[in-house]
Amino acid sequence: DAGVIQSPRHEVTEMGQEVTLRCKPISGHDYLFWYRQTMMRGLELLIYFNNNVPIDDSGMPEDRFSAKMPNASFSTLKIQPSEPRDSAVYFCASRRSRVGEQYFGPGTRLTVT
Amino acid sequence: AQTVTQSQPEMSVQEAETVTLSCTYDTSESDYYLFWYKQPPSRQMILVIRQEAYKQQNATENRFSVNFQKAAKSFSLKISDSQLGDAAMYFCAYFPYNNNDMRFGAGTRLTVKP
């Protein structure tokens, strides 16, 4: 298995631009998670999906952030418009069932100038 | 609130020696998982070891083992025969059965000296 795949690995954009991060979970995993990692706040859960349905988006910082999962093998996290304080590493993770190991993608390092 | 505390921001160990990383957590739940993740400079979050709270036996994975003290809410990671490749950030994580919000500690940066 290729593991959780994320793209791009690095993204540099200017303030005000739209940013789209992509994730392909491990095949057969029913749960997908988006996390953000910063020095100040550590790892934070933004949103998670179960069977492609968003279950809890209480961690999404504001309306500028949105996430979709149109099918079992693809999810996006969109920031529009982006701001410098959105600079962070964004991780996607997936899990086969409600309990068990959670596997992370390599992360996307986002820099907003 | 369910929090995870890693009280050691940085640790250092000599190659081939043993090091223990500390983790405590706060919860009122009885059923949960605990994990240790390793994050090397590549940023990849790698699962090192897991422990189910209902199991009394401490988990072991090759050179990695845990000391799980449920009553004390303590979950330390022992790395034996440390190798240069063990150098990384290590995160302790708590995951209750009844929701999907895995909580992470702030991390411990481990340096391995040759």
Side-chain angles (χ1 to χ4, degrees), chain A residues 9-10 31 33 35 37 43 45 48 89 91 95 98-109, chain B residues 33 35 37 39 42-47 50 91 95-102 104-106 109:
Chain A
R9 291 296 307 277
H10 304 272
Y31 288 82
F33 304 82
Y35 290 87
Q37 185 179 35
L43 269 160
L45 178 65
Y48 80 89
V89 179
F91 286 99
R95 196 167 73 224
R98 195 176 68 81
V99 295
E101 290 92 350
Q102 191 160 299
Y103 296 91
F104 285 78
T108 295
R109 180 178 291 281
Chain B
Y33 281 94
F35 301 92
Y37 282 89
Q39 187 178 40
S42 67
R43 292 201 312 264
Q44 179 77 51
M45 292 284 285
I46 302 165
L47 179 64
R50 82 171 197 180
F91 292 93
F95 172 55
Y97 285 9
N98 65 0
N99 70 58
N100 279 291
D101 191 0
M102 183 179 285
F104 290 85
R109 182 174 300 281

Side-chain angles (χ1 to χ4, degrees), chain B residues 23-34:
Chain B
C23 173
T24 58
Y25 56 96
D26 180 29
T27 184
S28 56
E29 302 290 336
S30 59
D31 297 321
Y32 50 87
Y33 281 94
L34 295 163

